[in-house]
Amino acid sequence: MKYLFFDVDGTLYSHNTGLVPSAKKAIEETRAKGNKCFIATGRHLGSLDSVKDLEVDGIIFCNGGGIYMDGKVIDHQPIPHDILSSTVFAFEEREGGYSLMSDDKAFVNELEVRRRKRQIQMEEGMPPFEQMVKELGLRPFTEYRNDEILKIDIGFASEEIMSDFLTVMNPQLKLASTAGYNISLGKRSGEITRVDVNKGTAIERLMKLVGGKMEDTYAFGDSNNDLEMLEMAGTGIAMGNGFAEVKLAADFITRDIDDDGIAYAMHHFGLID
């Protein structure tokens, strides 16, 4: 039995065409052969409508902050409340936009709302703001009530401000740049988790829970938050449209997402006929 882990944005889900039909078909075929397939995403559980038609065996969400299987969250790696509080204060001091992600919600401050609206104006193919709010499960920060937070998305007005923030960021946290896919923000944006939390360590935890071996895992991704899982999986596969650093970390580079990259790689490794 093989275990396959798929990033969503830029890997399974194309912002040009949506969920790639050939990828969906390939996952159905490999599951029929007895292999297990999982989503491994930076999104939270309430923001996965884009892949709702895809049947999988589980979900790694919030960049490894949690694991969902058999209808429930079976693993949870939250940011401690005291660290979260001081980090939010550091964002506010630097007028940063932020999104605090729990299992199934994202609590955003007003600056993050403005950032999202600017992103819609600057990038082609972005949905209307109201649709984005629904798809991403965005809630105003005023609704936050001490929910456990697994991941934080951040964005600043300049790379200099981001660099300044990194000088005060708690050492128990780490930042993954979103420069690979958040084109309008580049190195001004990022995703924060605990330093020991990423998609790769989540795969390790999941393999222990199900009794699988890391050598039997395949990971598919395109951006910086996929680096660890491509490095730690038995076989790491970078999308042809992936960021340069991701391709360097991979064992195999497949075609672009819109050129049936998932199906091509799965056929190459004998995961489908």
Side-chain angles (χ1 to χ4, degrees):
M1 181 186 298
K2 305 299 182 184
Y3 302 86
L4 285 66
F5 297 84
F6 301 90
D7 172 53
V8 173
D9 297 284
T11 301
L12 287 174
Y13 181 81
S14 167
H15 291 286
N16 296 320
T17 59
L19 176 61
V20 178
S22 62
K24 181 176 183 290
K25 181 180 178 182
I27 288 173
E28 290 170 350
E29 288 183 13
T30 201
R31 291 183 77 224
K33 292 165 70 78
N35 297 318
K36 300 291 186 181
C37 293
F38 302 84
I39 285 172
T41 180
R43 295 181 180 226
H44 60 79
L45 293 174
S47 60
L48 291 171
D49 277 358
S50 58
V51 289
K52 64 183 178 182
D53 295 329
L54 186 65
E55 290 190 19
V56 292
D57 298 286
I59 302 169
I60 290 171
F61 60 97
C62 288
N63 281 356
I67 300 172
Y68 177 89
M69 274 185 68
D70 301 324
K72 60 183 181 293
V73 175
I74 62 170
D75 181 272
H76 213 235
Q77 306 292 325
I79 298 170
H81 281 292
D82 59 332
I83 295 176
L84 176 67
S85 179
S86 62
T87 302
V88 168
F89 181 75
F91 297 152
E92 295 283 359
E93 277 191 317
R94 291 161 180 79
E95 298 185 342
Y98 56 83
S99 175
L100 309 181
M101 291 194 186
S102 66
D103 287 348
D104 58 359
K105 302 179 189 68
F107 301 95
V108 298
N109 69 340
E110 184 57 35
L111 283 168
E112 178 67 2
V113 170
R114 295 177 200 167
R115 178 172 80 85
R116 297 282 185 176
K117 289 180 177 178
R118 285 196 302 270
Q119 182 183 11
I120 290 170
Q121 295 173 344
M122 295 175 68
E123 296 185 25
E124 294 184 6
M126 297 296 291
F129 180 70
E130 292 75 16
Q131 182 180 338
M132 179 184 282
V133 168
K134 181 180 179 181
E135 290 180 353
L136 299 183
L138 303 182
R139 305 288 183 88
F141 182 67
T142 52
E143 292 186 13
Y144 176 67
R145 296 293 184 272
N146 292 320
D147 302 58
E148 288 194 319
I149 298 302
L150 310 180
K151 190 189 84 155
I152 312 170
D153 285 355
I154 61 171
F156 293 105
S158 69
E159 291 183 16
E160 290 75 20
I161 298 175
M162 171 66 87
S163 296
D164 178 64
F165 165 73
L166 291 175
T167 65
V168 301
M169 187 173 74
N170 191 289
Q172 293 185 48
L173 303 177
K174 73 176 185 66
L175 177 125
S177 171
T178 55
Y181 59 88
N182 199 333
I183 306 302
S184 64
L185 281 174
K187 294 181 180 179
R188 295 183 284 127
S189 68
E191 302 175 332
I192 293 174
T193 57
R194 280 186 1 214
V195 71
D196 59 333
V197 171
N198 56 64
K199 294 181 182 180
T201 55
I203 291 175
E204 285 187 325
R205 298 196 307 272
L206 180 51
M207 287 297 94
K208 289 179 181 178
L209 289 169
V210 302
K213 298 178 181 179
M214 287 298 290
E215 64 195 58
D216 292 327
T217 61
Y218 293 77
F220 300 75
D222 71 301
S223 196
N224 279 351
N225 64 6
D226 300 316
L227 279 170
E228 291 92 349
M229 76 167 180
L230 265 63
E231 292 170 343
M232 297 170 71
T235 303
I237 299 163
M239 303 301 293
N241 51 284
F243 201 43
E245 291 179 21
V246 178
K247 292 179 179 179
L248 287 173
D251 299 300
F252 179 77
I253 301 171
T254 188
R255 296 173 179 171
D256 283 18
I257 181 174
D258 292 318
D259 191 21
D260 301 320
I262 292 291
Y264 178 81
M266 291 174 66
H267 178 73
H268 173 83
F269 286 104
L271 298 166
I272 58 174
D273 297 326

